[in-house]
Amino acid sequence: MPAAERRELILGHASAVFGRTGYAGTTTEQIAQAAGISQPYVVRMFGTKEKLFVEVMERALGKLIVAFREVIRLRDSGEIPADELGARLGQAYVDLIEDRGILMSLMQGFIQGHDEVIGQRARAGFLEIYRLLRDEAAIPADDVRSFLADGMLINTLLAIGMPDNFEGDEAATELMTLSFGAKLDTVLCAASERPARPA
Amino acid sequence: MPAAERRELILGHASAVFGRTGYAGTTTEQIAQAAGISQPYVVRMFGTKEKLFVEVMERALGKLIVAFREVIRLRDSGEIPADELGARLGQAYVDLIEDRGILMSLMQGFIQGHDEVIGQRARAGFLEIYRLLRDEAAIPADDVRSFLADGMLINTLLAIGMPDNFEGDEAATELMTLSFGAKLDTVLCAASERPARPA
DNA sequence: GTCTATACGGAGATAGAC
DNA sequence: GTCTATCTCCGTATAGAC
């Protein structure tokens, strides 16, 4: 297998595992097992665990930016109405949940703000998203703030494991419905690792 | 020193350290040093690191609930206008930042949702806050969701270390101002561990 | 390019003294 | 009630073979 492809494969698995158990709570051995390779090879390929984590964050951030830019492009080309921009961006965000680990590994990076290396990259990434929405998407600053807040609530609900544990609880069901709306089924399918629309 | 007092002292220090470096990223030795006692004593007093963390979460949750209940009580007794409730609750939330570690250790618990024990307590705690705001404070459900979203953005900005690193960056300054508003100086003073209003 | 073996440090927990 | 000493396991990283 070519190095670039294997690299991406490992990053994908690392993203999922880091996203679930965090930077400090994840061992390179767990990532190696998920990717089906040996632990020293993981380290060999990325230098250190920290460098691997930063690459995971960068990859996640890249995917998020691509997803947002695509929505903005559709708006600019007139393929979607301007007043739907916010809803479409929200949908694009939730759709990323299917690629399990993207949003969670980013969130784990945010929570790791005390770490010199990771923290710096996390802050820069967060602001990159802020500027993208404010400048490229031309959304009013306070609406961007509000959009980001909704995103952080979604991240927290995912991280806390709510999608797998809310059934039977009235308050949890209401909160999940309010937070995800029509996109709730997408989330639930992603949570149980089944495809969003079973054949 | 009486056991109860020493216990609370250790919990306070543990809260600060866990809040900063997370559950997995924190050693019982770090907590012991912060509290000025020996590492085995920390373990001895709380059984395991996990039990200690759960107690830290419970303590943080308790303080948050007390703060919110006090605001609700003021509204119910007519001491503050009903239409100011949201703003007062927000202020009460931000004020908790001064007791460094409260909001952050809770957030670290939320992010630890995959852990059987911690995750369960975190979900229960999150929903407890949701119900408190919806039922006791009688805030419309979607406003509660929105309030929680704002809280999660605040938590994320704190965790990512934004208060200590936004100066000089135009976007970061704008985002911090929008997110904290008039409460920004409270946050900055708490961040640099100086009193909110220097004498 | 990928593995096995392993060195080395660290962390949680226990034993037992004072 | 609190400490020192220490056991034991685990995790990252390196060395070196194939």
Side-chain angles (χ1 to χ4, degrees):
Chain A
M1 183 181 295
E5 194 178 329
R6 167 125 297 185
R7 212 182 155 79
E8 168 60 21
L9 186 82
I10 298 176
L11 280 174
H13 286 289
S15 176
V17 185
F18 273 137
R20 184 174 155 73
T21 45
Y23 174 65
T26 299
T27 69
T28 54
E29 172 68 34
Q30 289 174 319
I31 294 167
Q33 282 187 5
I37 59 178
S38 71
Q39 177 269 332
Y41 189 34
V42 173
V43 175
R44 176 64 71 94
M45 186 168 283
F46 295 92
T48 66
K49 178 182 167 180
E50 190 180 59
K51 282 179 186 165
L52 169 57
F53 186 79
V54 171
E55 285 214 41
V56 165
M57 278 184 57
E58 233 126 54
R59 175 175 169 278
L61 192 69
K63 297 216 178 209
L64 181 57
I65 288 175
V66 164
F68 281 171
R69 283 234 169 91
E70 171 62 12
V71 175
I72 296 169
R73 194 190 61 74
L74 288 172
R75 191 268 318 258
D76 290 341
S77 69
E79 287 168 74
I80 62 170
D83 64 353
E84 273 187 30
L85 183 68
R88 295 293 188 126
L89 287 170
Q91 180 67 54
Y93 191 76
V94 175
D95 284 345
L96 282 174
I97 297 174
E98 286 189 54
D99 205 337
R100 202 148 183 93
I102 301 280
L103 300 187
M104 286 303 92
S105 57
L106 256 186
M107 193 64 182
Q108 294 288 354
F110 295 159
I111 232 68
Q112 205 68 17
H114 56 91
D115 179 293
E116 289 277 314
V117 181
I118 297 173
Q120 226 226 303
R121 194 68 197 85
R123 286 187 291 274
F126 199 96
L127 292 174
E128 210 172 329
I129 298 294
Y130 179 76
R131 285 198 208 90
L132 175 73
L133 295 171
R134 190 193 58 175
D135 303 334
E136 290 187 42
I139 299 173
D142 196 60
D143 292 350
V144 174
R145 188 211 62 81
S146 186
F147 180 83
L148 291 177
D150 290 353
M152 293 309 105
L153 175 59
I154 285 175
N155 285 358
T156 305
L157 290 173
L158 289 174
I160 210 174
M162 207 60 97
D164 296 307
N165 294 278
F166 76 97
E167 281 164 77
D169 186 300
E170 166 272 324
T173 304
E174 184 178 73
L175 178 57
M176 287 298 289
T177 305
L178 287 172
S179 302
F180 291 99
K183 300 160 280 187
L184 187 55
D185 60 337
T186 308
V187 180
L188 296 183
C189 292
S192 36
E193 256 144 90
R194 280 178 277 109
R197 288 189 190 82
Chain B
M1 183 181 296
E5 194 179 329
R6 167 126 296 186
R7 214 183 155 77
E8 169 59 22
L9 186 83
I10 297 177
L11 280 174
H13 287 288
S15 177
V17 184
F18 273 138
R20 184 173 155 75
T21 45
Y23 174 66
T26 299
T27 70
T28 53
E29 173 67 35
Q30 288 173 319
I31 294 167
Q33 283 187 5
I37 60 178
S38 72
Q39 177 269 332
Y41 190 34
V42 173
V43 175
R44 177 65 71 95
M45 186 167 285
F46 295 93
T48 65
K49 178 180 165 181
E50 190 179 60
K51 282 179 186 165
L52 169 57
F53 187 79
V54 171
E55 285 213 42
V56 165
M57 277 184 59
E58 234 126 53
R59 176 175 168 278
L61 192 69
K63 297 217 178 209
L64 181 56
I65 289 175
V66 164
F68 280 172
R69 282 234 169 90
E70 172 62 12
V71 175
I72 295 170
R73 194 190 62 73
L74 288 172
R75 190 268 317 258
D76 290 342
S77 69
E79 289 169 73
I80 62 170
D83 65 353
E84 272 187 30
L85 183 68
R88 295 294 188 126
L89 287 170
Q91 180 66 54
Y93 191 77
V94 175
D95 283 345
L96 282 174
I97 296 174
E98 286 189 54
D99 204 337
R100 202 150 183 92
I102 300 279
L103 300 186
M104 286 302 93
S105 58
L106 256 186
M107 193 64 182
Q108 294 288 354
F110 295 158
I111 231 68
Q112 205 68 14
H114 56 90
D115 179 293
E116 290 277 313
V117 181
I118 297 173
Q120 227 227 303
R121 194 68 199 85
R123 286 186 291 274
F126 198 95
L127 292 174
E128 210 172 329
I129 298 293
Y130 179 75
R131 284 198 209 88
L132 175 73
L133 294 171
R134 190 193 58 176
D135 303 335
E136 290 187 43
I139 299 173
D142 196 60
D143 292 348
V144 174
R145 187 211 62 81
S146 187
F147 181 83
L148 292 176
D150 290 351
M152 293 309 105
L153 175 59
I154 285 174
N155 284 358
T156 306
L157 289 173
L158 289 174
I160 211 173
M162 206 61 95
D164 296 307
N165 293 277
F166 77 96
E167 283 164 78
D169 185 302
E170 165 272 326
T173 304
E174 183 177 73
L175 177 57
M176 287 298 290
T177 306
L178 287 172
S179 302
F180 292 98
K183 299 159 281 188
L184 187 55
D185 61 335
T186 308
V187 179
L188 296 184
C189 293
S192 36
E193 255 141 269
R194 280 178 277 108
R197 287 191 189 80

